Amino acid sequence: GESVGLHLPTLSVQEGDNSIINCAYSNSASDYFIWYKQESGKGPQFIIDIRSNMDKRQGQRVTVLLNKTVKHLSLQIAATQPGDSAVYFCAENIYSNTGNQFYFGTGTSLTVIP
Amino acid sequence: DTEVTQTPKHLVMGMTNKKSLKCEQHMGHRAMYWYKQKAKKPPELMFVYSYEKLSINESVPSRFSPECPNSSLLNLHLHALQPEDSALYLCASSPGQGRGQYFGPGTRLTVT
């Protein structure tokens, strides 16, 4: 698989503060990226995605930024809530004639302090 | 129906057993995936099916045998597993390139 790494394995934030989770990827052929949230005992939940022809995309309380020059992706969560506590993964999509592959980064565990 | 379902939720099996994991989606997605996830690690891609044909096998041992009977179902047949195969097995589906990937809740497998 390809290397998709995260800068910080754990992150603690105060409730109401903004959170930023970072991700580095290595394959310049990756053309699509997804952020997932995974709570304990559950499967990864799709949060937001971004295509390589964009540098920013906003959702409800979340924003993803993509910097292709340095192969860096970030997830910003506004007004972090206790329910946001989970592990967050970025995943890169590599499409080839053999199929549509997704490779995950190492994950960041986010803890929100009430 | 906008979800991926997996059965069973939990499975305990001995090293000589044969069992199967099942995955189902009715979203019309033509790509389906099996992942293995160990505790505190990211999901690792095992197999990719595209239009019901196996398109990617990430060098998975033959004791794991995938099967895609139709466009909505994906099975993972297990035989002669080892204790180190204990993990959360996740199924996912995708409508196509650049259009997301959606996961089921997983099967927690324990090999004794």
Side-chain angles (χ1 to χ4, degrees):
Chain A
E2 302 297 330
S3 172
V4 181
L6 294 178
H7 296 310
L8 293 172
T10 61
L11 178 65
S12 294
V13 299
Q14 207 69 37
E15 181 178 358
D17 287 351
N18 296 334
S19 303
I20 299 176
I21 300 171
N22 295 302
C23 177
Y25 65 96
S26 58
N27 194 325
S28 57
S30 299
D31 59 3
Y32 175 64
F33 303 87
I34 303 175
W35 278 103
Y36 289 97
K37 173 186 181 183
Q38 187 174 25
E39 296 174 283
S40 181
K42 297 184 179 180
Q45 176 189 354
F46 179 100
I47 301 174
I48 191 168
D49 58 0
I50 189 167
R51 299 181 199 278
S52 60
N53 62 353
M54 304 170 69
D55 53 20
K56 180 179 180 178
R57 188 155 189 242
Q58 287 185 288
Q60 187 176 16
R61 284 202 305 121
V62 294
T63 300
V64 55
L65 300 177
L66 175 62
N67 185 329
K68 294 182 291 294
T69 303
V70 294
K71 297 191 184 71
H72 184 268
L73 196 67
S74 69
L75 176 70
Q76 300 177 0
I77 305 174
T80 315
Q81 302 168 0
D84 295 327
S85 293
V87 177
Y88 290 81
F89 294 101
C90 67
E92 61 178 331
N93 180 208
I94 301 168
Y95 184 77
S96 69
N97 56 8
T98 57
N100 201 21
Q101 302 164 62
F102 291 86
Y103 294 99
F104 282 71
T106 52
T108 293
S109 177
L110 174 67
T111 301
V112 181
I113 303 164
Chain B
D1 190 343
T2 59
E3 64 175 2
V4 177
T5 60
Q6 290 187 244
T7 56
K9 289 187 178 180
H10 301 275
L11 178 62
V12 179
M13 61 185 290
M15 289 188 283
T16 59
N17 292 160
K18 284 185 180 182
K19 296 286 184 184
S20 297
L21 309 184
K22 297 186 183 302
C23 174
E24 191 166 1
Q25 58 90 12
H26 295 287
M27 295 178 280
H29 294 175
R30 302 316 297 264
M32 295 185 76
Y33 306 76
W34 280 115
Y35 289 83
K36 173 182 178 180
Q37 186 178 27
K38 300 285 271 185
K40 301 187 188 303
K41 296 290 187 182
E44 296 176 28
L45 184 63
M46 299 174 71
F47 301 105
V48 181
Y49 272 84
S50 182
Y51 290 88
E52 300 158 52
K53 293 193 188 310
L54 182 62
S55 60
I56 295 172
N57 175 341
E58 292 280 357
S59 303
V60 179
S62 59
R63 57 186 184 268
F64 296 91
S65 175
E67 179 197 18
C68 189
N70 60 54
S71 60
S72 299
L73 294 174
L74 186 66
N75 298 322
L76 186 62
H77 302 299
L78 314 172
H79 175 55
L81 294 193
Q82 304 296 310
E84 59 265 29
D85 296 320
S86 298
L88 181 68
Y89 287 83
L90 293 161
C91 174
S93 70
S94 173
Q97 183 190 5
R99 296 179 58 199
Q101 186 186 48
Y102 301 90
F103 282 82
T107 293
R108 175 71 61 188
L109 174 68
T110 303
V111 181
T112 61

